[in-house]
Amino acid sequence: MISVVILTLNSEKYLIEVLESVRFVDEVIVLDSGSTDKTEDICKDFENVKFYYQKWLGFGKQKQAGVNLATNDWVFVLDSDEVILEPLKEEILEILKKPKFDAYRVARLNFFFGKELRSMGLYPDFTIRLFNKNRANFDDKEVHEKVVVNGTISELKNYFKHYAYESIEQFIAKQNRYSSLGAKKNKLKAVFNPAWTFFKLFVLKGGFLDGWRGFIVAKLYSQYTFWKYIK
């Protein structure tokens, strides 16, 4: 009926909670790119999980490789730090009884440093996650990939939970990596865009409402903007 596709790499931290949240589907495709922790062992404890290895291809191609392994037409693409909550589960099951659209955007509630953040555009943070693989596919982008749909799109009402970052160090490391993958060298933008990014997130989009967490998130996203254009 539906397959869930998850990419993993040393993903043991949240993986049990993630896989527990998708016990309701008949197939979970876990596509691993070389874990050395307990990721594979955890997967063996879940009967509906199929574990595969694929050398890293970049986010777009890697996710599409996972989708291609799914035996069902309908797939939900989930990260290894994202959890489907009960209301979303019920909505998915109801939608799939008689789908009216080819793809669905789903809201994501992001947790930063132990707390959910709803300002700065971090909620509802809609992305296409549920789709008929015969009518949609991932592009080939190495980072900031997206689903390209040849058909109709709608939105679900409920959200899933995303453990975005637990520490500043983790945030910096990931944004440093992403800025290298998506580098667009432009010295002029490297000078002016970081300040605008901070102002937009912290002031215009209400980051100040989340106190020190909002300040840090806005500051680090502005740093990411600098790295992206200076590298």
Side-chain angles (χ1 to χ4, degrees), residues 107-130:
R108 173 171 55 181
L109 181 60
N110 295 288
F111 281 69
F112 284 75
F113 321 130
K115 182 183 177 182
E116 65 184 53
L117 294 187
R118 293 176 180 260
S119 64
M120 295 180 285
L122 293 172
Y123 182 83
D125 192 19
F126 278 104
T127 57
I128 295 175
R129 294 304 188 95
L130 176 65

mmCIF file of all heavy atoms in Angstrom, residues 107-130:
data_model
loop_
_atom_site.group_PDB
_atom_site.id
_atom_site.type_symbol
_atom_site.label_atom_id
_atom_site.label_comp_id
_atom_site.label_asym_id
_atom_site.label_seq_id
_atom_site.Cartn_x
_atom_site.Cartn_y
_atom_site.Cartn_z
ATOM 1 N N ALA A 107 3.720 19.229 6.635
ATOM 2 C CA ALA A 107 4.364 20.182 7.536
ATOM 3 C C ALA A 107 5.357 19.468 8.444
ATOM 4 O O ALA A 107 5.160 18.312 8.825
ATOM 5 C CB ALA A 107 3.312 20.901 8.375
ATOM 6 N N ARG A 108 6.416 20.197 8.782
ATOM 7 C CA ARG A 108 7.447 19.660 9.668
ATOM 8 C C ARG A 108 7.624 20.603 10.847
ATOM 9 O O ARG A 108 7.773 21.808 10.669
ATOM 10 C CB ARG A 108 8.755 19.518 8.896
ATOM 11 C CG ARG A 108 9.960 19.127 9.735
ATOM 12 C CD ARG A 108 11.157 18.794 8.868
ATOM 13 N NE ARG A 108 11.497 19.873 7.940
ATOM 14 C CZ ARG A 108 12.502 19.797 7.059
ATOM 15 N NH1 ARG A 108 13.221 18.695 6.966
ATOM 16 N NH2 ARG A 108 12.765 20.818 6.264
ATOM 17 N N LEU A 109 7.578 20.052 12.059
ATOM 18 C CA LEU A 109 7.817 20.830 13.269
ATOM 19 C C LEU A 109 9.245 20.559 13.727
ATOM 20 O O LEU A 109 9.581 19.445 14.124
ATOM 21 C CB LEU A 109 6.827 20.446 14.362
ATOM 22 C CG LEU A 109 6.955 21.217 15.681
ATOM 23 C CD1 LEU A 109 6.744 22.718 15.462
ATOM 24 C CD2 LEU A 109 5.944 20.702 16.700
ATOM 25 N N ASN A 110 10.083 21.588 13.644
ATOM 26 C CA ASN A 110 11.507 21.435 13.929
ATOM 27 C C ASN A 110 11.833 21.702 15.392
ATOM 28 O O ASN A 110 11.341 22.674 15.982
ATOM 29 C CB ASN A 110 12.316 22.403 13.059
ATOM 30 C CG ASN A 110 12.206 22.077 11.581
ATOM 31 O OD1 ASN A 110 12.754 21.102 11.111
ATOM 32 N ND2 ASN A 110 11.482 22.920 10.834
ATOM 33 N N PHE A 111 12.692 20.847 15.945
ATOM 34 C CA PHE A 111 13.174 21.028 17.313
ATOM 35 C C PHE A 111 14.635 21.472 17.262
ATOM 36 O O PHE A 111 15.476 20.810 16.643
ATOM 37 C CB PHE A 111 13.058 19.727 18.107
ATOM 38 C CG PHE A 111 11.671 19.454 18.608
ATOM 39 C CD1 PHE A 111 10.647 19.128 17.729
ATOM 40 C CD2 PHE A 111 11.375 19.528 19.965
ATOM 41 C CE1 PHE A 111 9.364 18.878 18.182
ATOM 42 C CE2 PHE A 111 10.088 19.277 20.427
ATOM 43 C CZ PHE A 111 9.082 18.953 19.537
ATOM 44 N N PHE A 112 14.937 22.594 17.912
ATOM 45 C CA PHE A 112 16.295 23.105 18.010
ATOM 46 C C PHE A 112 16.692 23.183 19.476
ATOM 47 O O PHE A 112 16.003 23.821 20.279
ATOM 48 C CB PHE A 112 16.399 24.507 17.399
ATOM 49 C CG PHE A 112 16.403 24.532 15.892
ATOM 50 C CD1 PHE A 112 15.238 24.326 15.181
ATOM 51 C CD2 PHE A 112 17.584 24.763 15.194
ATOM 52 C CE1 PHE A 112 15.236 24.363 13.795
ATOM 53 C CE2 PHE A 112 17.592 24.797 13.818
ATOM 54 C CZ PHE A 112 16.429 24.591 13.111
ATOM 55 N N PHE A 113 17.782 22.515 19.825
ATOM 56 C CA PHE A 113 18.320 22.578 21.188
ATOM 57 C C PHE A 113 17.268 22.208 22.222
ATOM 58 O O PHE A 113 17.137 22.851 23.257
ATOM 59 C CB PHE A 113 18.903 23.962 21.475
ATOM 60 C CG PHE A 113 19.650 24.574 20.313
ATOM 61 C CD1 PHE A 113 19.377 25.862 19.890
ATOM 62 C CD2 PHE A 113 20.615 23.843 19.631
ATOM 63 C CE1 PHE A 113 20.049 26.416 18.813
ATOM 64 C CE2 PHE A 113 21.305 24.395 18.555
ATOM 65 C CZ PHE A 113 21.016 25.683 18.146
ATOM 66 N N GLY A 114 16.483 21.170 21.903
ATOM 67 C CA GLY A 114 15.535 20.615 22.860
ATOM 68 C C GLY A 114 14.167 21.249 22.904
ATOM 69 O O GLY A 114 13.342 20.884 23.746
ATOM 70 N N LYS A 115 13.886 22.194 21.989
ATOM 71 C CA LYS A 115 12.588 22.869 22.018
ATOM 72 C C LYS A 115 12.083 23.092 20.600
ATOM 73 O O LYS A 115 12.870 23.420 19.708
ATOM 74 C CB LYS A 115 12.690 24.211 22.742
ATOM 75 C CG LYS A 115 11.370 24.957 22.869
ATOM 76 C CD LYS A 115 11.566 26.315 23.542
ATOM 77 C CE LYS A 115 10.248 27.100 23.606
ATOM 78 N NZ LYS A 115 10.434 28.434 24.218
ATOM 79 N N GLU A 116 10.782 22.956 20.411
ATOM 80 C CA GLU A 116 10.205 23.229 19.100
ATOM 81 C C GLU A 116 10.247 24.726 18.807
ATOM 82 O O GLU A 116 10.070 25.549 19.700
ATOM 83 C CB GLU A 116 8.766 22.741 19.027
ATOM 84 C CG GLU A 116 7.812 23.469 19.961
ATOM 85 C CD GLU A 116 6.405 22.887 19.924
ATOM 86 O OE1 GLU A 116 6.272 21.673 20.115
ATOM 87 O OE2 GLU A 116 5.460 23.680 19.727
ATOM 88 N N LEU A 117 10.512 25.058 17.543
ATOM 89 C CA LEU A 117 10.517 26.453 17.111
ATOM 90 C C LEU A 117 9.478 26.625 16.004
ATOM 91 O O LEU A 117 9.496 25.895 15.020
ATOM 92 C CB LEU A 117 11.892 26.873 16.591
ATOM 93 C CG LEU A 117 13.046 26.910 17.604
ATOM 94 C CD1 LEU A 117 14.288 27.518 16.963
ATOM 95 C CD2 LEU A 117 12.667 27.713 18.847
ATOM 96 N N ARG A 118 8.607 27.605 16.182
ATOM 97 C CA ARG A 118 7.551 27.845 15.201
ATOM 98 C C ARG A 118 7.717 29.180 14.480
ATOM 99 O O ARG A 118 6.906 29.528 13.634
ATOM 100 C CB ARG A 118 6.182 27.784 15.880
ATOM 101 C CG ARG A 118 5.829 26.387 16.394
ATOM 102 C CD ARG A 118 4.511 26.389 17.144
ATOM 103 N NE ARG A 118 4.174 25.044 17.630
ATOM 104 C CZ ARG A 118 3.311 24.221 17.040
ATOM 105 N NH1 ARG A 118 2.694 24.605 15.931
ATOM 106 N NH2 ARG A 118 3.054 23.023 17.533
ATOM 107 N N SER A 119 8.749 29.942 14.817
ATOM 108 C CA SER A 119 8.990 31.220 14.160
ATOM 109 C C SER A 119 9.990 31.042 13.016
ATOM 110 O O SER A 119 10.396 29.931 12.688
ATOM 111 C CB SER A 119 9.536 32.238 15.177
ATOM 112 O OG SER A 119 10.807 31.817 15.657
ATOM 113 N N MET A 120 10.362 32.139 12.360
ATOM 114 C CA MET A 120 11.420 32.181 11.339
ATOM 115 C C MET A 120 11.132 31.317 10.114
ATOM 116 O O MET A 120 12.046 30.914 9.400
ATOM 117 C CB MET A 120 12.776 31.790 11.958
ATOM 118 C CG MET A 120 13.263 32.762 12.993
ATOM 119 S SD MET A 120 14.845 32.317 13.736
ATOM 120 C CE MET A 120 14.316 30.984 14.806
ATOM 121 N N GLY A 121 9.879 30.963 9.905
ATOM 122 C CA GLY A 121 9.551 30.107 8.779
ATOM 123 C C GLY A 121 9.863 28.643 9.027
ATOM 124 O O GLY A 121 9.793 27.827 8.102
ATOM 125 N N LEU A 122 10.196 28.292 10.271
ATOM 126 C CA LEU A 122 10.547 26.909 10.602
ATOM 127 C C LEU A 122 9.308 26.041 10.837
ATOM 128 O O LEU A 122 9.426 24.834 11.016
ATOM 129 C CB LEU A 122 11.448 26.881 11.844
ATOM 130 C CG LEU A 122 12.829 27.503 11.626
ATOM 131 C CD1 LEU A 122 13.578 27.616 12.947
ATOM 132 C CD2 LEU A 122 13.642 26.664 10.641
ATOM 133 N N TYR A 123 8.147 26.646 10.860
ATOM 134 C CA TYR A 123 6.889 25.918 10.920
ATOM 135 C C TYR A 123 5.849 26.743 10.196
ATOM 136 O O TYR A 123 5.804 27.951 10.378
ATOM 137 C CB TYR A 123 6.448 25.663 12.370
ATOM 138 C CG TYR A 123 5.163 24.870 12.452
ATOM 139 C CD1 TYR A 123 5.190 23.483 12.348
ATOM 140 C CD2 TYR A 123 3.928 25.515 12.587
ATOM 141 C CE1 TYR A 123 4.000 22.759 12.388
ATOM 142 C CE2 TYR A 123 2.753 24.792 12.619
ATOM 143 C CZ TYR A 123 2.797 23.417 12.522
ATOM 144 O OH TYR A 123 1.638 22.695 12.561
ATOM 145 N N PRO A 124 5.046 26.134 9.316
ATOM 146 C CA PRO A 124 4.905 24.690 9.090
ATOM 147 C C PRO A 124 5.977 24.037 8.214
ATOM 148 O O PRO A 124 6.036 22.818 8.134
ATOM 149 C CB PRO A 124 3.533 24.584 8.422
ATOM 150 C CG PRO A 124 3.332 25.884 7.732
ATOM 151 C CD PRO A 124 4.004 26.909 8.594
ATOM 152 N N ASP A 125 6.828 24.801 7.541
ATOM 153 C CA ASP A 125 7.965 24.234 6.812
ATOM 154 C C ASP A 125 7.527 23.093 5.889
ATOM 155 O O ASP A 125 8.025 21.969 5.969
ATOM 156 C CB ASP A 125 9.013 23.743 7.815
ATOM 157 C CG ASP A 125 10.349 23.415 7.164
ATOM 158 O OD1 ASP A 125 10.592 23.895 6.042
ATOM 159 O OD2 ASP A 125 11.132 22.667 7.772
ATOM 160 N N PHE A 126 6.586 23.369 5.014
ATOM 161 C CA PHE A 126 6.013 22.343 4.130
ATOM 162 C C PHE A 126 7.026 21.825 3.109
ATOM 163 O O PHE A 126 7.760 22.598 2.495
ATOM 164 C CB PHE A 126 4.811 22.899 3.366
ATOM 165 C CG PHE A 126 3.530 22.885 4.147
ATOM 166 C CD1 PHE A 126 3.020 24.055 4.684
ATOM 167 C CD2 PHE A 126 2.829 21.702 4.341
ATOM 168 C CE1 PHE A 126 1.830 24.051 5.393
ATOM 169 C CE2 PHE A 126 1.638 21.684 5.043
ATOM 170 C CZ PHE A 126 1.136 22.862 5.573
ATOM 171 N N THR A 127 7.074 20.510 2.942
ATOM 172 C CA THR A 127 7.839 19.878 1.869
ATOM 173 C C THR A 127 7.035 18.692 1.329
ATOM 174 O O THR A 127 6.227 18.102 2.052
ATOM 175 C CB THR A 127 9.206 19.353 2.352
ATOM 176 O OG1 THR A 127 9.008 18.435 3.443
ATOM 177 C CG2 THR A 127 10.106 20.482 2.803
ATOM 178 N N ILE A 128 7.254 18.368 0.064
ATOM 179 C CA ILE A 128 6.573 17.205 -0.521
ATOM 180 C C ILE A 128 7.227 15.938 0.021
ATOM 181 O O ILE A 128 8.409 15.704 -0.179
ATOM 182 C CB ILE A 128 6.657 17.239 -2.055
ATOM 183 C CG1 ILE A 128 5.876 18.440 -2.591
ATOM 184 C CG2 ILE A 128 6.083 15.944 -2.646
ATOM 185 C CD1 ILE A 128 6.011 18.632 -4.089
ATOM 186 N N ARG A 129 6.458 15.139 0.720
ATOM 187 C CA ARG A 129 6.982 13.904 1.309
ATOM 188 C C ARG A 129 6.191 12.669 0.871
ATOM 189 O O ARG A 129 6.737 11.578 0.826
ATOM 190 C CB ARG A 129 6.970 13.996 2.831
ATOM 191 C CG ARG A 129 7.914 15.035 3.404
ATOM 192 C CD ARG A 129 9.356 14.815 2.949
ATOM 193 N NE ARG A 129 10.269 15.688 3.656
ATOM 194 C CZ ARG A 129 10.948 15.347 4.735
ATOM 195 N NH1 ARG A 129 10.804 14.128 5.242
ATOM 196 N NH2 ARG A 129 11.762 16.194 5.320
ATOM 197 N N LEU A 130 4.908 12.837 0.643
ATOM 198 C CA LEU A 130 4.037 11.721 0.267
ATOM 199 C C LEU A 130 3.687 11.870 -1.205
ATOM 200 O O LEU A 130 3.139 12.896 -1.614
ATOM 201 C CB LEU A 130 2.775 11.728 1.119
ATOM 202 C CG LEU A 130 1.708 10.679 0.802
ATOM 203 C CD1 LEU A 130 2.220 9.260 1.076
ATOM 204 C CD2 LEU A 130 0.430 10.953 1.608
#
